[in-house]
Amino acid sequence: MAVPGNGISRRLVSWARIKSPWITVYNSGGCNACDIEIIACLMPRFDVERFGILVRGSPRHADILIVTGTPTLKQASRLRRVWEQIPEPKYVIALGACGSSGGVFRGLYQVVDRVESVIPVDVYVAGCPPRPDEIINAVVRCIDLLREDTAHGGKEWRQKKPLPAPVPGEKSPAEVP
Amino acid sequence: MPEVVVPIGPHHPALKEPVNFRVIADGEKIVRLELDLSYNHRGIEKAAEQRNFIRVLPLLERVCGICSHSHATAFAKGVEEIMGLEIPPRARYIRTIIAELERMHSHLLWLGVAAHEIGFNTLFMWSWRDREAVQDTLEEMSGNRVHYGMNEIGGVRRDLTPAQIKTALARLPDLEDRIQKYVGMVNSEETMLIRFRGVGKMSREEALKYGAVGPTARASGVDYDVRRDDPYLAYDEIPWKVITDNHGDVYGRTRVRVGELWESTQIVRFCLENIPAGPVRVEAPKNAPEGEILSRYEAPRGELAHYIRTNGTDKVERIDIRSPTLANWTSVAMCLTGQNLADIPVIVAAIDPCLSCTCRMVVVHRRGGRAVPGTAAGESGHDPKSRQDGWRP
């Protein structure tokens, strides 16, 4: 997608990306539980490295950003900056109830309710916290998305279309008796 | 040589959680440490005032993902004392079992992280593998790996079946074996001895002066444990001993934690074998009478204190959480002075920092730059006047 040229070099890069997605984790104000479960994914029982999934510290090396916790007001701008540093194509996983919807912290004075209101999210994972196998499943889902996006030539095909502008004079279906 | 400021964080490969260190260094030596702990501040204390006792327990569990049972138990224990409730002995034992299993998983986690910080990744993998056995036991008992949701005012929500007790007991011998191995390793493994000995020294006087708590204080010879000195749950009925050490460095803190791991397995074994029969909860009244209490609890990282004030309704009037990590930061800043820059990860990891419990806010007025007094954890965060001043990013 973002690779210049076409043909063999582009196919090679996207093949490599699908085989070994690199991940960076950002704690945007969570309670630590999700982060601990992500580290548990790296450990002998789950061991995601055998699938080629590597956890990296720098967002500039990453393909997938996992965001844990509901972003606090202080972290929101930093989360945005971390996201901007990731090269395209990038995918975002909102982990846990907090990342998806705010969870138990929804509506507190110091939080932005969900990750979605700061950066676009591709995969949501439910649970408080999600089990390590659910986290692995989310990463696999990201790889599926990456494969579909490569076939479509970009992310645009699955983005929500804006509602059509109302035609003046025409009644909406709800108003028709 | 001029002093250099080394900023670390809030997002940094070496950090698991957002915190900002400003290390002022003179060459390789650290002169001073400045901290910004406010990144994870969510305003839990204010939210707890608006939810009733049933809804506030899940919220307080999510103060921290590692010591979630500690926060819920400290709160439930305090409110029960205000209400004058006596919880059934079986509930006390179940709470103790979960608390000690939590201590085991937290200390195994810490051992792994500390080994990772010195580049000893084999131990990192080993201790986290053994931690999975503890997690499995917790999952069988409570239904979740991390947030157990076992507490309610007046007892616990789930009983232990004989089958659960049997499988938990069957897992223990293996775990005891491994922990014995770690006890031997801490005293003989060359990699750990070289890297831990003499790093981050703190004397007994300094530990008392800077208010260190938990394993950090006990490693400096402070013989203090809330479980023994202010007994709660079933700790006064169980034979166990407080682990102390007089090395005062990271090596001593490792010895204390590994020793506590062993004690925890013995407490869990005793509780599982001698758990009394009977109900697991009593019905609690909806409202708590007017009163205030400082509920103390020995969390894996040290003494946790919940200050609770009630006013006769079904909500708290004020809750203030003093987490153990907050008490230990001062001692870290002291320990780091004069050490090498490369020792920062080891010394910081040695107190087992947990930032989501600890986050505090200071609101600074844009004009004049003065801090608003008494802004720990969201008192004036709700003040509409300070919002107009533009503290909100």
Side-chain angles (χ1 to χ4, degrees):
Chain A
M1 281 177 284
V3 183
N6 50 13
I8 217 159
S9 62
R10 181 184 288 197
R11 285 215 302 278
L12 185 71
V13 169
S14 64
W15 171 82
R17 223 174 245 139
I18 288 165
K19 285 289 170 198
S20 176
W22 286 17
I23 288 170
T24 191
V25 182
Y26 190 77
N27 182 337
S28 68
C31 72
N32 245 347
C34 293
D35 306 70
I36 295 298
E37 293 294 73
I38 291 169
I39 303 176
C41 285
L42 306 173
M43 290 304 127
R45 177 178 288 185
F46 297 98
D47 196 13
V48 291
E49 272 191 30
R50 68 202 153 124
F51 304 127
I53 302 171
L54 293 181
V55 176
R56 291 282 124 171
S58 169
R60 289 174 203 274
H61 296 165
D63 302 311
I64 298 172
L65 174 70
I66 299 186
V67 186
T68 64
T70 169
T72 59
L73 286 179
K74 193 161 182 175
Q75 285 281 71
S77 58
R78 283 146 180 116
L79 173 62
R80 183 85 192 174
R81 218 182 301 158
V82 165
W83 177 77
E84 278 165 1
Q85 287 174 10
I86 302 176
E88 283 285 350
K90 53 190 166 194
Y91 292 84
V92 178
I93 299 174
L95 204 64
C98 300
S100 307
S101 70
V104 74
F105 302 122
R106 188 169 188 155
L108 303 198
Y109 63 83
Q110 184 65 10
V111 302
V112 183
D113 274 348
R114 52 180 85 83
V115 176
E116 202 183 27
S117 36
V118 184
I119 52 175
V121 176
D122 297 285
V123 178
Y124 299 87
V125 190
C128 185
R131 292 176 50 83
D133 30 10
E134 288 167 347
I135 298 171
I136 299 171
N137 188 31
V139 176
V140 172
R141 183 74 194 107
C142 266
I143 300 172
D144 288 347
L145 275 178
L146 176 59
R147 199 175 282 132
E148 286 171 34
D149 286 355
T150 316
H152 282 84
K155 283 180 183 177
E156 288 75 28
W157 68 279
R158 59 187 171 86
Q159 264 155 17
K160 284 177 195 159
K161 291 187 181 64
L163 292 171
V167 181
E170 191 179 305
K171 280 190 171 176
S172 77
E175 288 171 53
V176 177
Chain B
M1 199 169 169
E3 291 175 355
V4 185
V5 180
V6 185
I8 304 172
H11 183 69
H12 190 271
L15 297 172
K16 308 287 175 288
E17 291 173 88
V19 62
N20 189 358
F21 296 115
R22 284 163 52 83
V23 184
I24 290 102
D26 183 0
E28 274 293 310
K29 292 272 177 251
I30 299 165
V31 180
R32 201 166 67 246
L33 175 75
E34 288 171 9
L35 276 169
D36 184 349
L37 295 173
S38 63
Y39 290 95
N40 263 8
H41 176 81
R42 289 153 287 179
I44 290 175
E45 290 175 2
K46 199 76 199 168
E49 293 166 18
Q50 292 151 5
R51 305 185 185 191
N52 64 23
F53 292 135
I54 297 166
R55 290 183 64 213
V56 81
L57 276 170
L59 176 76
L60 287 179
E61 279 205 320
R62 280 149 186 85
V63 168
C64 172
I66 303 172
C67 39
S68 61
H69 186 75
S70 312
H71 285 280
T73 313
F75 180 77
K77 187 164 79 73
V79 172
E80 279 155 10
E81 208 161 319
I82 291 177
M83 286 175 174
L85 278 182
E86 181 77 31
I87 67 167
R90 192 175 173 86
R92 274 192 294 133
Y93 269 71
I94 294 176
R95 276 186 188 176
T96 315
I97 290 168
I98 301 285
E100 289 307 311
L101 284 171
E102 184 182 76
R103 192 181 314 278
M104 277 161 74
H105 104 68
S106 175
H107 281 356
L108 280 169
L109 179 154
W110 175 85
L111 186 65
V113 172
H116 175 67
E117 300 292 2
I118 59 168
F120 188 13
N121 273 335
T122 314
L123 181 59
F124 184 29
M125 296 283 165
W126 280 354
S127 72
W128 278 68
R129 185 190 62 193
D130 298 335
R131 181 177 167 269
E132 288 292 329
V134 184
Q135 296 289 87
D136 284 345
T137 316
L138 281 168
E139 192 179 5
E140 276 170 13
M141 287 177 180
S142 71
N144 206 354
R145 278 165 60 93
V146 174
H147 293 304
Y148 319 110
M150 287 295 269
N151 281 312
E152 66 173 26
I153 309 289
V156 292
R157 291 170 62 191
R158 296 181 193 84
D159 199 356
L160 295 187
T161 62
Q164 282 171 342
I165 293 174
K166 207 174 143 201
T167 39
L169 277 171
R171 281 211 184 88
L172 273 179
D174 218 24
L175 216 70
E176 284 166 352
D177 248 26
R178 299 291 305 175
I179 287 166
Q180 276 299 344
K181 196 176 168 170
Y182 295 143
V183 174
M185 231 169 141
V186 167
N187 293 319
S188 61
E189 181 67 39
E190 199 67 15
T191 321
M192 295 168 86
L193 290 178
I194 293 171
R195 203 64 187 82
F196 282 164
R197 270 203 178 148
V199 175
K201 265 245 183 256
M202 181 166 63
S203 67
R204 185 171 186 277
E205 289 67 40
E206 283 168 332
L208 290 172
K209 183 180 168 195
Y210 293 106
V213 292
T216 314
R218 285 198 285 276
S220 296
V222 181
D223 189 11
Y224 175 67
D225 194 316
V226 184
R227 289 177 287 171
R228 184 198 59 198
D229 300 336
D230 183 12
Y232 56 94
L233 301 185
Y235 286 112
D236 46 352
E237 301 160 25
I238 303 168
W240 67 283
K241 61 178 192 293
V242 177
I243 307 285
T244 52
D245 198 276
N246 44 23
H247 282 84
D249 48 8
V250 181
Y251 171 65
R253 285 162 218 168
T254 317
R255 275 171 54 115
V256 167
R257 284 207 173 86
V258 175
E260 281 185 7
L261 262 175
W262 175 255
E263 286 300 315
S264 289
T265 57
Q266 296 314 302
I267 296 175
V268 170
R269 183 179 278 281
F270 181 89
C271 287
L272 286 171
E273 281 168 355
N274 298 296
I275 187 163
V280 292
R281 66 176 83 85
V282 290
E283 197 173 331
K286 186 163 170 276
N287 296 341
E290 209 167 301
E292 59 179 349
I293 191 166
L294 187 76
S295 176
R296 302 197 294 168
Y297 182 100
E298 186 75 21
R301 290 163 177 72
E303 182 189 6
L304 166 73
H306 276 217
Y307 169 74
I308 304 162
R309 191 165 70 221
T310 52
N311 54 1
T313 62
D314 61 346
K315 300 182 183 71
V316 291
E317 189 178 277
R318 176 86 176 92
I319 174 165
D320 189 70
I321 301 170
R322 204 296 313 269
S323 64
T325 311
L326 188 67
N328 278 337
W329 273 123
T330 337
S331 69
V332 170
M334 193 279 301
C335 282
L336 276 176
T337 312
Q339 298 275 340
N340 283 329
L341 269 178
D343 288 333
I344 297 175
V346 183
I347 296 173
V348 171
I351 65 154
D352 200 358
C354 174
L355 294 160
S356 51
C357 311
T358 308
C359 281
R360 295 295 193 265
M361 279 245 312
V362 173
V363 180
V364 179
H365 282 279
R366 189 170 280 177
R367 276 173 245 105
R370 102 197 124 80
V372 180
T375 46
E379 274 176 354
S380 71
H382 235 49
D383 182 11
K385 193 168 163 286
S386 61
R387 279 198 186 182
Q388 285 164 7
D389 270 11
W391 65 272
R392 217 179 161 114

